[in-house]
Amino acid sequence: MQRTERPFEEYPNLHVMKTNRQIKCLQTLIRDRNTEREDFIFYSDRLIRLLVEEGLNFLPFSSHTVITPTGSEYHGTLFSTKICGVSIVRAGESMEAGLRAVCKQIKIGKILIQRDEETAQPKLLYAKLPSDISQRYVLLLDPMLATGGSVKKAIEVLLNKGVPEEKIIFMNLNAAPEGNHNLMRNYTKVN
């Protein structure tokens, strides 16, 4: 997610995280076939945490003034809404630890989607979501976006539960252009 590089100009809500040396290094390490499993998990978790930190910038904030331990006023900000995470099972669960590391005591829901053998269309198998999800911003988690079928189905589930489209922030690590086009053409308000 980034606000300066615009590889998909036609989609203003599609944000690509700016590549820097740290991101490039982490991507190199997790893509290297010689990376050990333990190191892969460690470096993936670091990258996911950076992604989550960047994704939180798309939430609404409000001004808030506090008094510091020295008695000075500090004019800062706080989140101005409730949030929750929703992982698309199973891969999305790999992003939960990074979200929990950044957002203390966050509620996390789960959606399980599988392709129907006969129709090849995504089919909802399970959804366990916070009861007040329609009152929250939703950080939708899935590290890989291929065709976009599963994430579109997950968004459909969230919309049916009363979550406004503009309150859904989809976070993923790697996306195929086809998936980006498919998602953004159908859900223009999702970030």
Side-chain angles (χ1 to χ4, degrees):
M1 298 180 166
Q2 169 208 323
R3 295 158 210 239
T4 56
E5 288 181 12
R6 300 297 312 158
F8 292 92
E9 290 289 334
E10 68 268 36
Y11 307 124
N13 284 6
L14 177 64
H15 307 279
V16 177
M17 194 161 89
K18 184 177 181 180
T19 301
N20 57 37
R21 288 185 294 206
Q22 179 181 203
I23 301 287
K24 194 78 161 171
C25 177
L26 293 170
Q27 288 280 3
T28 301
L29 291 166
I30 66 175
R31 291 171 185 231
D32 184 347
R33 67 180 177 185
N34 296 315
T35 298
E36 298 291 328
R37 181 180 185 277
E38 181 180 312
D39 291 333
F40 176 86
I41 292 168
F42 176 80
Y43 295 124
S44 294
D45 285 346
R46 278 191 60 206
L47 187 57
I48 288 166
R49 188 170 177 164
L50 291 170
L51 177 68
V52 169
E53 293 277 8
E54 182 64 23
L56 294 176
N57 287 318
F58 294 94
L59 293 170
F61 289 84
S62 59
S63 297
H64 189 77
T65 301
V66 296
I67 304 299
T68 69
T70 63
S72 303
E73 281 191 355
Y74 176 76
H75 304 284
T77 61
L78 291 175
F79 289 124
S80 60
T81 186
K82 294 192 293 183
I83 63 172
C84 71
V86 173
S87 61
I88 300 175
V89 177
R90 294 181 48 200
E93 292 172 311
S94 67
M95 300 176 74
E96 289 178 12
L99 180 58
R100 282 196 169 103
V102 174
C103 299
K104 189 175 176 183
Q105 299 178 338
I106 189 168
K107 289 184 176 186
I108 295 183
K110 296 182 184 290
I111 296 175
L112 175 60
I113 296 165
Q114 185 174 333
R115 287 204 185 277
D116 184 293
E117 299 272 335
E118 295 173 15
T119 66
Q121 295 300 310
K123 181 168 95 174
L124 175 66
L125 294 181
Y126 173 82
K128 177 75 172 162
L129 303 168
S131 59
D132 63 347
I133 195 164
S134 65
Q135 309 303 308
R136 296 175 178 270
Y137 270 74
V138 176
L139 307 174
L140 184 58
L141 311 172
D142 194 5
M144 304 295 287
L145 178 66
T147 64
S150 293
V151 72
K152 282 174 48 185
K153 187 67 170 177
I155 291 170
E156 179 184 311
V157 170
L158 295 173
L159 294 174
N160 288 338
K161 291 291 185 180
V163 178
E165 186 177 329
E166 59 274 7
K167 288 190 172 186
I168 301 170
I169 299 171
F170 176 55
M171 295 187 198
N172 82 307
L173 293 174
N174 294 304
E178 174 189 354
N180 281 330
H181 289 298
N182 198 5
L183 174 61
M184 298 314 296
R185 275 192 214 117
N186 289 280
Y187 296 106
T188 59
K189 296 178 185 172
V190 169
N191 271 303

